[in-house]
Amino acid sequence: MWQKLTSLENLFNAYCAASKGKRSKPDVARFEFNLEENIFNLQLELVTGSYQHGSYHSFYIHDPKKRLISAASFKDRVVHHALCNLIEPLYERKFIYDTYANRVGKGTHRALDRCTQYLRRFPYYLQLDLRQYFPSIDHEILINILAEEIRDQKVLALCEEILKSGVGVLHDEYQMIYFPGDDLFALNRPRGLPIGNLTSQFWANVYLNKLDHFIKRKLKCPGYIRYVDDMLLFANSKTELHEIWAAVVSFLAGLRLTVHQRQSQPTPSAHGVTFLGFRCFPTHRRLKRVKAVYGRRKIKEAWARVGNGELSFEDFSHRLQSWINHAQHGDTWGLRQSILSEIDILSDGGSFEGIADFHKNL
């Protein structure tokens, strides 16, 4: 496995994946300028054991929730892709069907469709949202989980090196929670996965994989969906969901995780559920209000930049089409028409070649 990971073919494929859509970025361009030499040097570092993960550049985004994003150097991102190329297939066949984040053929919109199916099928649901998920992930527990499947010690050592690089990155984002049996050293347990790493996204799925199987196989929950740390459980009665909730909370404590308890109440499916930016009902689906407001503002700002010559019309049309493609997964025809009328996009003298496409997609 280590030989495959450090092969020139795998490292080059990792470079291609890491640079996709980002070749104009300065750090990517510098790596590509001496691509062959950099790939060989990276292989040598890995093979000789001299590779050390670098530091992170951290910044906050508001999308619309405030999040601390930590960006690794491009060389380190190539290593992340090289590692995931090898270990993702090991776990893909172990994941349950209804976990949708960061998986080929899954994603947000398929999770929403599944949510609608379950809302129509079951009278009650329970929504679970984990507190401080990425800052709370315990490194020792994660390494033990990975070691159950990864038997190559060099590959496991690389996982530990990447994990070690993230120690302290999310320190200020974590509020200490003590669990039964904790001592004074619990405060210093290495924890946290930097939000922004490809490995972090993948390991976030791995960390909760046993919970997924526990819910489906042990608790026999008839309907279950997970997208990263956002979970929906469906059943035929409130009593059944209360029993499942108690068992899940107990299981999560073994992973040093907790849920937002005030939000964890069985609810009639007819009342709808807010999930992945939409308000889902058995009969229809609306874009969440804050998402609609945010999308409207960003589109109007981008349109103003077109008028000022700061943004090309082609780039704007790509952004607008991307938002429309997302919004049309809900009943948002009126919202889309309203936004297009506000920016007066159709009064551009016919210069916009994509008008017909927009009408078609509305």
Side-chain angles (χ1 to χ4, degrees), residues 299-316:
I299 290 171
K300 292 177 72 173
E301 288 175 355
W303 182 243
R305 291 177 62 195
V306 172
N308 296 333
E310 300 175 6
L311 183 70
S312 71
F313 205 92
E314 182 180 4
D315 287 340
F316 169 78

Side-chain angles (χ1 to χ4, degrees), residues 275 277-281 284-289 329-334:
F275 186 54
F278 285 82
R279 184 68 184 173
C280 302
F281 296 87
H284 63 285
R285 188 187 301 158
R286 298 287 188 188
L287 193 64
K288 190 177 176 182
R289 185 181 182 280
H329 284 271
D331 299 290
T332 57
W333 189 88

Side-chain angles (χ1 to χ4, degrees), residues 140-156:
E140 183 179 344
I141 294 175
L142 178 57
I143 282 294
N144 289 336
I145 292 173
L146 293 173
E148 293 176 6
E149 195 66 31
I150 301 173
R151 303 304 174 88
D152 191 312
Q153 292 304 308
K154 290 185 178 180
V155 176
L156 196 60

Side-chain angles (χ1 to χ4, degrees), residues 288-303:
K288 190 177 176 182
R289 185 181 182 280
V290 66
K291 291 288 187 179
V293 172
Y294 179 78
R296 185 191 299 267
R297 185 176 75 247
K298 296 299 287 186
I299 290 171
K300 292 177 72 173
E301 288 175 355
W303 182 243

Side-chain angles (χ1 to χ4, degrees), residues 52-323:
Q52 290 185 327
H53 197 287
S55 58
Y56 292 88
H57 167 62
S58 297
F59 54 93
Y60 284 99
I61 64 168
H62 299 78
D63 190 23
K65 184 178 179 180
K66 183 180 179 181
R67 296 181 184 276
L68 179 66
I69 304 298
S70 300
S73 71
F74 181 70
K75 184 181 82 169
D76 292 327
R77 297 202 298 273
V78 171
V79 174
H80 299 169
H81 279 272
L83 174 63
C84 287
N85 286 346
L86 267 292
I87 65 175
E88 276 190 7
L90 298 177
Y91 285 94
E92 182 60 33
R93 61 177 178 265
K94 292 185 175 294
F95 290 147
I96 66 169
Y97 180 85
D98 281 319
T99 176
Y100 288 88
N102 309 307
R103 296 179 65 194
V104 176
K106 300 291 183 177
T108 302
H109 300 137
R110 294 209 173 183
L112 288 167
D113 291 341
R114 190 66 156 175
C115 175
T116 299
Q117 291 176 18
Y118 282 147
L119 285 171
R120 292 171 177 173
R121 181 178 170 186
F122 298 102
Y124 297 98
Y125 74 84
L126 174 68
Q127 188 166 31
L128 298 179
D129 184 22
L130 300 184
R131 296 177 56 193
Q132 313 174 102
Y133 180 47
F134 278 85
S136 298
I137 291 178
D138 187 282
H139 288 193
E140 183 179 344
I141 294 175
L142 178 57
I143 282 294
N144 289 336
I145 292 173
L146 293 173
E148 293 176 6
E149 195 66 31
I150 301 173
R151 303 304 174 88
D152 191 312
Q153 292 304 308
K154 290 185 178 180
V155 176
L156 196 60
L158 179 59
C159 293
E160 291 178 330
E161 172 65 24
I162 296 173
L163 269 178
K164 185 175 66 175
S165 71
V167 173
V169 171
L170 294 175
H171 179 270
D172 293 337
E173 307 299 309
Y174 180 75
Q175 295 179 352
M176 185 62 195
I177 299 174
Y178 287 96
F179 294 87
D182 278 352
D183 53 24
L184 295 176
F185 297 101
L187 183 65
N188 297 318
R189 291 179 70 97
R191 62 173 65 86
L193 295 181
I195 301 174
N197 280 0
L198 176 68
T199 49
S200 297
Q201 299 170 17
F202 174 64
W203 286 337
N205 271 348
V206 173
Y207 200 74
L208 291 179
N209 184 47
K210 287 188 176 182
L211 173 67
D212 296 338
H213 286 277
F214 175 74
I215 291 173
K216 294 293 293 183
R217 300 177 186 276
K218 183 72 173 179
L219 302 181
K220 305 294 184 181
C221 182
Y224 172 64
I225 302 171
R226 180 171 67 83
Y227 193 95
V228 192
D229 61 333
D230 198 354
M231 294 170 278
L232 288 174
L233 300 94
F234 299 83
N236 292 311
S237 70
K238 289 185 177 182
T239 301
E240 188 177 356
L241 287 175
H242 277 299
E243 293 173 353
I244 291 174
W245 177 85
V248 168
V249 169
S250 177
F251 190 95
L252 286 171
L255 297 174
R256 302 186 67 80
L257 298 173
T258 56
V259 299
H260 291 282
Q261 296 194 15
R262 287 185 300 175
Q263 302 172 7
S264 304
Q265 297 295 327
T267 306
S269 296
H271 291 183
V273 58
T274 301
F275 186 54
L276 302 180
F278 285 82
R279 184 68 184 173
C280 302
F281 296 87
T283 56
H284 63 285
R285 188 187 301 158
R286 298 287 188 188
L287 193 64
K288 190 177 176 182
R289 185 181 182 280
V290 66
K291 291 288 187 179
V293 172
Y294 179 78
R296 185 191 299 267
R297 185 176 75 247
K298 296 299 287 186
I299 290 171
K300 292 177 72 173
E301 288 175 355
W303 182 243
R305 291 177 62 195
V306 172
N308 296 333
E310 300 175 6
L311 183 70
S312 71
F313 205 92
E314 182 180 4
D315 287 340
F316 169 78
S317 66
H318 287 318
R319 296 184 186 191
L320 180 58
Q321 189 66 65
S322 177
W323 182 83

Side-chain angles (χ1 to χ4, degrees), residues 35-62:
L35 178 59
E36 196 171 294
E37 181 181 350
N38 286 327
I39 292 290
F40 275 112
N41 288 340
L42 180 55
Q43 182 192 46
L44 183 63
E45 288 183 25
L46 291 168
V47 170
T48 60
S50 62
Y51 170 77
Q52 290 185 327
H53 197 287
S55 58
Y56 292 88
H57 167 62
S58 297
F59 54 93
Y60 284 99
I61 64 168
H62 299 78

Side-chain angles (χ1 to χ4, degrees), residues 337-358:
Q337 284 279 14
S338 173
I339 290 178
L340 289 183
S341 64
E342 284 181 8
I343 62 177
D344 202 21
I345 193 171
L346 302 184
S347 66
D348 193 41
S351 64
F352 181 41
E353 297 177 357
I355 290 176
D357 292 333
F358 278 119

